[in-house]
Amino acid sequence: MPARDLPSNKQPVILTGRLKWVERIAHLFDDQFRIPGTNFRFGLDPIINLFPVAGDAAGMMVSAALLITMARNGASRKVIILMLVNVLIDGLIGAIPLVGQVFDFYYKANLRNIKLLKEHYEEGRHQGSGNGVIAMIVIVLVLFLAAFVYLSYWLVSVIIHAF
């Protein structure tokens, strides 16, 4: 929620110490530069990811370091799980050649994680164990696995019947 929409008795959370460092790094990697004449912003992440494997690994290491720092500074288990999901989505789709390069310009996992952290502190959101998030991830993965097995079976049967 933007600061102007906060109730009058609530002030926006200003991150300090290590969390301020996390916010600066997230800004550098996801939002540092603006294309002149537009509101489109991007950071070092999509630029670094132009180097295959090394760029993806560097981005994942920075995201992991940010996530660990946030976890050590009081983020709830649910927030950490949601942040981890953001990092994994960014890493997995970002690793796909060409598609991943474009994806990195739009999906800003580190800024999403800073937003989750601020919502956690400002609004008390994302509290709890995160078991529901884990259950949803498991269900989605099982569905993807089932779809993959079905499509593989179908493809093999088509190839066998073609000969």
Side-chain angles (χ1 to χ4, degrees):
M1 180 174 356
R4 66 181 179 280
D5 295 339
L6 290 174
S8 59
N9 62 346
K10 286 193 174 184
Q11 294 297 322
V13 170
I14 310 263
L15 300 178
T16 59
R18 288 187 180 153
L19 293 180
K20 185 63 177 172
W21 170 82
V22 168
E23 188 172 37
R24 285 183 187 148
I25 295 296
H27 175 70
L28 176 67
F29 265 71
D30 290 347
D31 207 32
Q32 180 69 40
F33 311 108
R34 185 177 60 84
I35 296 178
T38 70
N39 288 329
F40 184 76
R41 300 189 70 84
F42 64 96
L44 291 178
D45 190 36
I47 296 169
I48 292 172
N49 285 339
L50 292 174
F51 300 100
V53 181
D56 293 323
M60 288 293 284
M61 287 189 326
V62 168
S63 293
L66 298 178
L67 192 101
I68 290 167
T69 301
M70 289 184 249
R72 288 183 179 167
N73 284 280
S76 73
R77 182 170 181 242
K78 184 175 181 179
V79 169
I80 297 302
I81 291 169
L82 292 171
M83 291 177 179
L84 184 59
V85 169
N86 282 334
V87 170
L88 291 175
I89 288 170
D90 185 40
L92 291 174
I93 297 177
I96 300 170
L98 300 176
V99 171
Q101 309 308 5
V102 174
F103 182 77
D104 280 333
F105 278 99
Y106 294 100
Y107 192 82
K108 300 166 192 293
N110 296 320
L111 287 180
R112 289 172 185 262
N113 288 345
I114 294 294
K115 181 181 178 212
L116 284 170
L117 188 68
K118 286 185 174 185
E119 288 173 351
H120 174 67
Y121 286 130
E122 286 177 359
E123 304 168 18
R125 293 179 62 189
H126 316 297
Q127 300 290 333
S129 66
N131 289 340
V133 175
I134 292 172
M136 185 59 70
I137 292 169
V138 168
I139 290 169
V140 168
L141 289 176
V142 167
L143 290 174
F144 273 116
L145 179 63
F148 177 76
V149 168
Y150 174 77
L151 289 174
S152 297
Y153 174 77
W154 176 80
L155 183 61
V156 168
S157 67
V158 167
I159 291 171
I160 289 173
H161 291 299
F163 295 105

Coordinates of all heavy atoms in Angstrom, one line a residue, residues 2-35:
P2 N 0.7 2.2 -0.9 CA 1.5 3.4 -0.9 C 1.4 4.2 0.3 O 0.3 4.1 1.0 CB 1.0 4.2 -2.1 CG 0.3 3.2 -3.0 CD -0.2 2.1 -2.1
A3 N 2.4 5.0 0.7 CA 2.4 5.7 1.9 C 1.2 6.7 2.0 O 0.6 6.9 3.1 CB 3.7 6.5 2.0
R4 N 0.8 7.2 0.9 CA -0.3 8.2 0.9 C -1.7 7.5 1.3 O -2.6 8.2 1.7 CB -0.4 9.0 -0.4 CG -0.8 8.1 -1.6 CD -0.9 8.9 -2.9 NE -1.2 8.0 -4.0 CZ -0.4 7.2 -4.6 NH1 0.9 7.1 -4.3 NH2 -0.8 6.5 -5.6
D5 N -1.8 6.2 1.1 CA -3.0 5.5 1.4 C -3.0 4.9 2.8 O -4.0 4.3 3.2 CB -3.2 4.3 0.4 CG -3.4 4.8 -1.0 OD1 -3.8 6.0 -1.2 OD2 -3.2 4.0 -2.0
L6 N -2.0 5.1 3.6 CA -1.9 4.6 4.9 C -2.9 5.4 5.8 O -3.0 6.6 5.6 CB -0.5 4.7 5.5 CG 0.5 3.7 4.9 CD1 1.9 4.0 5.4 CD2 0.1 2.3 5.2
P7 N -3.5 4.8 6.8 CA -4.3 5.5 7.7 C -3.4 6.5 8.4 O -2.1 6.4 8.5 CB -4.7 4.4 8.7 CG -4.6 3.1 8.0 CD -3.5 3.3 7.0
S8 N -4.0 7.6 8.9 CA -3.2 8.7 9.5 C -2.3 8.3 10.6 O -1.3 9.0 10.9 CB -4.1 9.9 9.9 OG -5.0 9.4 10.8
N9 N -2.6 7.3 11.4 CA -1.8 6.9 12.5 C -0.7 5.9 12.1 O 0.1 5.6 13.0 CB -2.7 6.2 13.6 CG -3.4 4.9 13.0 OD1 -3.4 4.7 11.8 ND2 -3.9 4.1 13.9
K10 N -0.6 5.6 10.9 CA 0.5 4.7 10.4 C 1.5 5.4 9.6 O 1.1 6.2 8.7 CB 0.0 3.5 9.7 CG -0.7 2.5 10.5 CD -0.9 1.2 9.7 CE -1.4 0.1 10.6 NZ -1.5 -1.1 9.9
Q11 N 2.7 5.2 9.8 CA 3.8 5.8 9.0 C 4.4 4.7 8.1 O 4.5 3.6 8.6 CB 4.9 6.5 9.9 CG 4.4 7.7 10.7 CD 3.9 8.8 9.8 OE1 4.6 9.0 8.7 NE2 2.9 9.4 10.1
P12 N 4.9 5.0 6.9 CA 5.5 4.0 6.1 C 6.8 3.5 6.8 O 7.4 4.2 7.5 CB 5.8 4.7 4.8 CG 5.7 6.1 5.1 CD 4.8 6.3 6.3
V13 N 7.1 2.2 6.6 CA 8.2 1.7 7.2 C 9.5 2.1 6.5 O 9.5 2.1 5.3 CB 8.2 0.1 7.2 CG1 9.5 -0.5 7.6 CG2 7.1 -0.4 8.1
I14 N 10.4 2.7 7.2 CA 11.7 3.1 6.7 C 12.7 2.0 7.1 O 12.9 1.8 8.3 CB 12.1 4.5 7.2 CG1 11.0 5.5 7.0 CG2 13.5 4.8 6.5 CD1 11.0 6.3 5.8
L15 N 13.2 1.3 6.2 CA 14.2 0.2 6.5 C 15.5 0.8 6.9 O 16.0 1.8 6.3 CB 14.3 -0.7 5.3 CG 13.1 -1.4 4.8 CD1 13.4 -2.3 3.6 CD2 12.4 -2.2 5.9
T16 N 16.1 0.3 8.0 CA 17.4 0.8 8.5 C 18.4 -0.4 8.6 O 18.0 -1.6 8.5 CB 17.2 1.4 9.9 OG1 16.7 0.4 10.8 CG2 16.3 2.6 9.8
G17 N 19.6 -0.1 8.8 CA 20.7 -1.0 9.0 C 20.8 -2.0 7.8 O 20.9 -1.6 6.6
R18 N 20.8 -3.3 8.1 CA 21.0 -4.3 7.0 C 19.8 -4.3 6.1 O 20.0 -4.6 4.9 CB 21.1 -5.7 7.7 CG 22.4 -5.9 8.3 CD 22.6 -7.3 8.8 NE 23.9 -7.5 9.4 CZ 24.1 -8.4 10.3 NH1 23.2 -9.2 10.7 NH2 25.3 -8.5 10.8
L19 N 18.6 -4.0 6.6 CA 17.5 -4.0 5.7 C 17.5 -2.8 4.7 O 17.0 -2.9 3.6 CB 16.2 -3.9 6.5 CG 15.9 -5.2 7.3 CD1 14.6 -5.1 8.1 CD2 15.9 -6.4 6.4
K20 N 18.2 -1.7 5.1 CA 18.4 -0.6 4.1 C 19.3 -1.0 3.0 O 19.1 -0.7 1.9 CB 18.9 0.7 4.9 CG 19.0 1.9 4.0 CD 17.6 2.3 3.5 CE 17.7 3.5 2.7 NZ 16.4 3.9 2.1
W21 N 20.3 -1.8 3.4 CA 21.2 -2.3 2.4 C 20.5 -3.2 1.4 O 20.7 -3.2 0.2 CB 22.3 -3.1 3.1 CG 23.2 -3.9 2.2 CD1 24.3 -3.5 1.5 CD2 23.1 -5.3 1.9 NE1 24.9 -4.5 0.8 CE2 24.1 -5.6 1.0 CE3 22.2 -6.3 2.3 CZ2 24.3 -6.9 0.5 CZ3 22.4 -7.6 1.8 CH2 23.4 -7.9 0.9
V22 N 19.6 -4.0 1.9 CA 18.8 -4.9 1.1 C 17.9 -4.1 0.1 O 17.9 -4.5 -1.1 CB 17.9 -5.8 2.0 CG1 16.8 -6.6 1.2 CG2 18.7 -6.8 2.8
E23 N 17.3 -3.1 0.6 CA 16.5 -2.2 -0.3 C 17.3 -1.6 -1.4 O 16.9 -1.5 -2.5 CB 15.8 -1.2 0.6 CG 14.8 -0.4 -0.2 CD 13.9 0.5 0.7 OE1 14.5 1.1 1.7 OE2 12.7 0.7 0.4
R24 N 18.5 -1.1 -1.0 CA 19.4 -0.5 -2.0 C 19.8 -1.5 -3.1 O 19.9 -1.2 -4.3 CB 20.6 0.1 -1.3 CG 20.4 1.4 -0.6 CD 21.6 2.0 0.0 NE 21.3 3.1 0.8 CZ 22.0 3.4 1.9 NH1 23.1 2.7 2.2 NH2 21.6 4.5 2.6
I25 N 20.2 -2.7 -2.7 CA 20.6 -3.7 -3.6 C 19.5 -4.1 -4.5 O 19.6 -4.3 -5.7 CB 21.2 -5.0 -2.9 CG1 22.5 -4.6 -2.2 CG2 21.5 -6.1 -3.9 CD1 23.6 -4.2 -3.0
A26 N 18.3 -4.2 -4.0 CA 17.1 -4.6 -4.7 C 16.8 -3.5 -5.8 O 16.5 -3.8 -7.0 CB 15.9 -4.8 -3.8
H27 N 17.0 -2.3 -5.4 CA 16.8 -1.1 -6.3 C 17.8 -1.2 -7.4 O 17.5 -1.0 -8.6 CB 16.9 0.2 -5.6 CG 16.8 1.4 -6.4 ND1 15.7 1.8 -7.1 CD2 17.7 2.3 -6.8 CE1 15.9 2.9 -7.8 NE2 17.2 3.2 -7.6
L28 N 19.1 -1.4 -7.1 CA 20.2 -1.5 -8.1 C 19.9 -2.7 -9.0 O 20.1 -2.5 -10.3 CB 21.5 -1.7 -7.3 CG 22.7 -1.9 -8.2 CD1 23.0 -0.6 -9.0 CD2 23.9 -2.3 -7.4
F29 N 19.5 -3.8 -8.6 CA 19.3 -5.0 -9.5 C 18.0 -4.9 -10.3 O 18.0 -5.5 -11.3 CB 19.4 -6.3 -8.6 CG 20.8 -6.8 -8.6 CD1 21.8 -6.2 -7.9 CD2 21.1 -8.0 -9.4 CE1 23.1 -6.8 -8.0 CE2 22.3 -8.5 -9.4 CZ 23.4 -7.9 -8.7
D30 N 17.0 -4.2 -9.8 CA 15.7 -4.3 -10.4 C 15.2 -3.0 -11.0 O 14.3 -3.0 -11.8 CB 14.6 -4.9 -9.5 CG 14.9 -6.3 -9.2 OD1 15.6 -7.0 -9.9 OD2 14.2 -6.8 -8.2
D31 N 15.7 -1.8 -10.5 CA 15.0 -0.6 -10.8 C 15.9 0.6 -11.0 O 15.4 1.7 -10.9 CB 14.0 -0.3 -9.6 CG 12.8 0.5 -10.0 OD1 12.4 0.4 -11.2 OD2 12.3 1.2 -9.1
Q32 N 17.2 0.4 -11.1 CA 18.1 1.5 -11.1 C 18.0 2.5 -12.3 O 18.1 3.7 -12.1 CB 19.6 1.0 -11.0 CG 20.7 2.0 -11.0 CD 20.7 2.8 -9.7 OE1 20.5 2.2 -8.6 NE2 20.9 4.1 -9.7
F33 N 17.8 2.0 -13.5 CA 17.8 2.8 -14.7 C 16.4 3.0 -15.2 O 15.6 2.1 -15.1 CB 18.7 2.1 -15.7 CG 20.1 1.7 -15.1 CD1 20.4 0.4 -14.9 CD2 21.0 2.6 -14.8 CE1 21.6 0.0 -14.4 CE2 22.2 2.3 -14.3 CZ 22.5 0.9 -14.1
R34 N 16.3 4.1 -15.9 CA 15.0 4.4 -16.6 C 15.3 4.7 -18.0 O 16.2 5.4 -18.4 CB 14.3 5.6 -15.9 CG 12.9 5.9 -16.5 CD 12.3 7.1 -15.8 NE 13.0 8.3 -15.9 CZ 12.9 9.2 -16.9 NH1 12.1 8.9 -17.9 NH2 13.6 10.3 -16.9
I35 N 14.5 4.2 -18.9 CA 14.6 4.5 -20.3 C 14.0 5.9 -20.5 O 12.9 6.2 -20.2 CB 13.8 3.5 -21.2 CG1 14.5 2.1 -21.1 CG2 13.8 3.9 -22.7 CD1 13.8 1.0 -21.8

